[in-house]
Amino acid sequence: MNDCTDYSDVLTADMRSGSVGVRARRAAESSEPEPEEATEPVHHEHSHTEHHEHSHSEHHPGHDYNHMKEKFMNELGHLPIPMWAVGAIVVVVLALVACCIFCIFKKCFGKKKKPKKVRERKTGRRRKEKEGEGEAGDKEGEVKKEGEEEEKEQEKLGKLEFSLDYNFTDAQLIVGILQAQDLAAMDMGGTSDPYVKVFLLPDKKKKYETKVQRKNLCPVFNETFIFKIPYAELGGKTLVLQVFDFDRFSKHDMIGEIKIPMNSVDLGQPMQQWRDLESGEKEEQEKLGDICISLRYVPTAGKLTVNIMEAKNLKKMDVGGLSDPYVKIVLQQNGKRIKKKKTTVKKNTLNPYFNESFSFEVPFEQIQKVQVVITVFDYDKLGSNDPIGKTFMGYGATGVGLRHWSDMLANPRRPVAQWHTLLPEEEVDAALKAKPR
């Protein structure tokens, strides 16, 4: 009996100790991960990451993301690149990716929408073209109106008073240029230097011109010009009055003109009237030819030598397409002729060779005040000799004429040769009459 009780006590004690051992084991198992998690990250970083990889693979995906983030940040911490550079690289990569996605989207989905857009554009263009045609019509109407208004404004060039009379006894047409008013300002200072050219079309053989009126938009001329022409031939002529603005340093500008068909004028009695100037067509200046001249001055002797060497490309004056040229040389001062000479006539040529010298006595104190005027004429046995072209050197000259005269004075006793372009006679005469500025 006692043995039985002892045996049962031993069993119960063993069972208690077993349950206690089981509890102790369970407590030990539950308490073992805590010190491992606390101690392992400090001493064993690689075992910590391996443990987490194993545990994260078995647990929730959120833990995997956090683990990857921590791992990525740890790796970045060990890189030698600064954080701002890493951020910039990331931004660039994202931008490139976004561009690639946009291009792919446009290629894949944009083509399907293009036909509709093209149709819409075509219809829109048609509508715009129709609307544009309507607007263009309106604009053309406005442009025409503006053009007419501008033409009207441009037509206000001033007006000219003139007189006409015919002398039946002497077969003379008498043209009087009286005055002008409200002329257009052609110079920078708001004025003009007007003069009037008078000639008959279609021949233009004889041209007259008035004196230049300096800085005057309402000039008074009171000059008379006479054309000797039979009355029977007068009906086929047109009288032209052209008002020009004189310019010493460039081509003269036309202010306006008046054309009077003579068959529309009653010449039975004198007439005097005002007419508005009309804009004239700009005519290309006719080429009259060139002449080569040599100048030589000896100050001690007061001797000026002018050598007419040759001319080329002269204007055709005769019916056969040639000319009979000769040259007239005039030495003048203050508009008064001091001496004149002329070369021999060269028959039937437009490129004559003269090589003729002429001497003039000019004291040194007068050399800066004189002018040498050169005129090329076409010789005519029956009628008057027609001028082909003209040029001058000396006081008041410009351009080539001034340069040639200056070179002569700078090189005393030496002949200085120079080619000169021939100009219309009336243009040179106007320059000779005008006072230097």
Side-chain angles (χ1 to χ4, degrees):
M1 203 53 195
N2 292 327
D3 293 333
C4 290
T5 56
D6 292 334
Y7 181 72
S8 61
D9 292 336
V10 171
L11 286 174
T12 55
D14 292 335
M15 290 175 67
R16 286 176 181 174
S17 62
S19 61
V20 171
V22 171
R23 289 177 183 175
R25 287 177 186 174
R26 288 180 181 175
E29 287 176 358
S30 62
S31 62
E32 280 176 1
E34 292 177 1
E36 287 178 0
E37 288 179 359
T39 56
E40 284 180 0
V42 178
H43 300 284
H44 305 286
E45 290 180 359
H46 294 287
S47 63
H48 170 73
T49 54
E50 288 175 0
H51 173 72
H52 272 275
E53 286 176 2
H54 180 70
S55 61
H56 283 307
S57 63
E58 292 177 358
H59 297 291
H60 194 270
H63 297 289
D64 295 338
Y65 173 76
N66 292 329
H67 171 68
M68 290 175 67
K69 184 177 178 181
E70 291 176 1
K71 183 179 179 181
F72 178 73
M73 295 304 293
N74 290 330
E75 293 293 336
L76 285 178
H78 289 83
L79 290 175
I81 304 174
M83 291 300 295
W84 62 268
V86 175
I89 294 170
V90 171
V91 171
V92 172
V93 171
L94 291 175
L96 291 174
V97 172
C99 289
C100 294
I101 293 171
F102 175 75
C103 292
I104 294 169
F105 178 80
K106 190 174 181 181
K107 286 182 179 179
C108 296
F109 300 100
K111 290 181 181 179
K112 296 179 181 178
K113 295 180 181 180
K114 272 188 179 179
K116 293 182 181 179
K117 290 182 180 179
V118 170
R119 290 175 186 173
E120 290 175 1
R121 287 175 185 171
K122 286 182 179 179
T123 54
R125 283 177 186 172
R126 289 173 185 171
R127 290 175 186 173
K128 286 180 180 179
E129 287 175 358
K130 290 179 181 179
E131 292 174 0
E133 288 175 359
E135 291 177 1
D138 296 335
K139 286 180 180 178
E140 286 177 0
E142 292 175 2
V143 169
K144 286 180 181 178
K145 290 179 182 178
E146 291 176 0
E148 291 175 357
E149 290 175 0
E150 287 178 1
E151 287 179 359
K152 288 180 181 178
E153 290 178 1
Q154 289 177 356
E155 287 175 359
K156 295 179 182 179
L157 302 172
K159 55 184 181 179
L160 180 68
E161 186 182 19
F162 62 94
S163 64
L164 292 177
D165 193 9
Y166 190 77
N167 187 336
F168 288 91
T169 305
D170 299 329
Q172 293 177 343
L173 175 66
I174 303 167
V175 182
I177 304 299
L178 305 178
Q179 60 181 325
Q181 280 188 0
D182 303 326
L183 295 179
M186 307 296 286
D187 297 338
M188 295 293 291
T191 61
S192 293
D193 302 325
Y195 69 94
V196 183
K197 287 184 182 180
V198 184
F199 58 92
L200 288 170
L201 290 176
D203 47 18
K204 290 186 181 180
K205 280 188 177 179
K206 196 153 193 176
K207 289 186 179 182
Y208 296 103
E209 60 183 42
T210 66
K211 294 179 180 179
V212 178
Q213 302 294 322
R214 289 286 181 185
K215 297 181 180 180
N216 197 341
L217 298 180
C218 298
V220 177
F221 298 101
N222 287 331
E223 297 185 41
T224 303
F225 307 101
I226 297 174
F227 295 90
K228 193 165 186 178
I229 180 171
Y231 184 76
E233 298 178 8
L234 196 57
K237 306 292 183 181
T238 300
L239 179 65
V240 181
L241 311 176
Q242 293 180 333
V243 182
F244 281 85
D245 172 48
F246 175 80
D247 193 337
R248 176 171 294 277
F249 302 102
S250 63
K251 187 178 178 181
H252 302 172
D253 299 320
M254 184 189 294
I255 299 175
E257 67 177 7
I258 297 171
K259 290 184 177 180
I260 307 166
M262 297 310 298
N263 57 9
S264 65
V265 179
D266 181 12
L267 294 174
Q269 56 185 359
M271 63 169 288
Q272 181 175 328
Q273 65 176 219
W274 285 92
R275 281 203 189 180
D276 292 329
L277 295 173
E278 298 177 354
S279 58
E281 296 179 358
K282 292 183 179 179
E283 299 179 358
E284 292 185 1
Q285 187 159 349
E286 191 177 15
K287 292 182 179 179
L288 305 176
D290 302 280
I291 185 168
C292 185
I293 305 165
S294 173
L295 298 177
R296 178 174 178 265
Y297 183 66
V298 182
T300 54
K303 185 179 178 181
L304 173 65
T305 303
V306 180
N307 186 355
I308 305 300
M309 301 179 71
E310 60 179 316
K312 63 180 181 180
N313 303 325
L314 295 179
K315 180 184 175 182
K316 301 173 184 178
M317 302 295 287
D318 297 339
V319 178
L322 295 173
S323 295
D324 301 324
Y326 72 94
V327 182
K328 186 165 94 171
I329 306 100
V330 175
L331 178 70
Q332 67 181 34
Q333 182 178 352
N334 297 327
K336 295 179 181 179
R337 292 182 183 180
I338 300 173
K339 205 168 186 181
K340 64 177 180 178
K341 296 184 179 182
K342 62 181 180 179
T343 66
T344 57
V345 178
K346 303 298 179 182
K347 294 286 187 180
N348 300 324
T349 179
L350 300 179
N351 300 284
Y353 181 78
F354 298 100
N355 196 23
E356 298 181 30
S357 295
F358 306 92
S359 296
F360 302 90
E361 292 182 3
V362 183
F364 180 72
E365 59 271 11
Q366 298 292 327
I367 193 65
Q368 295 281 13
K369 301 176 183 178
V370 298
Q371 297 166 325
V372 177
V373 183
I374 307 294
T375 309
V376 181
F377 284 90
D378 173 48
Y379 176 76
D380 195 341
K381 288 182 180 180
L382 301 177
S384 59
N385 301 329
D386 298 321
I388 298 174
K390 200 168 185 177
T391 186
F392 82 101
M393 295 141 284
Y395 178 72
T398 59
V400 177
L402 176 61
R403 186 170 67 248
H404 193 187
W405 194 258
S406 300
D407 290 344
M408 177 198 71
L409 295 176
N411 297 276
R413 300 181 181 85
R414 293 183 183 179
V416 179
Q418 177 69 54
W419 280 97
H420 294 257
T421 300
L422 294 174
L423 300 173
E425 185 182 26
E426 58 273 11
E427 187 173 327
V428 176
D429 289 343
L432 289 169
K433 291 177 185 177
K435 293 181 181 180
R437 294 178 182 178

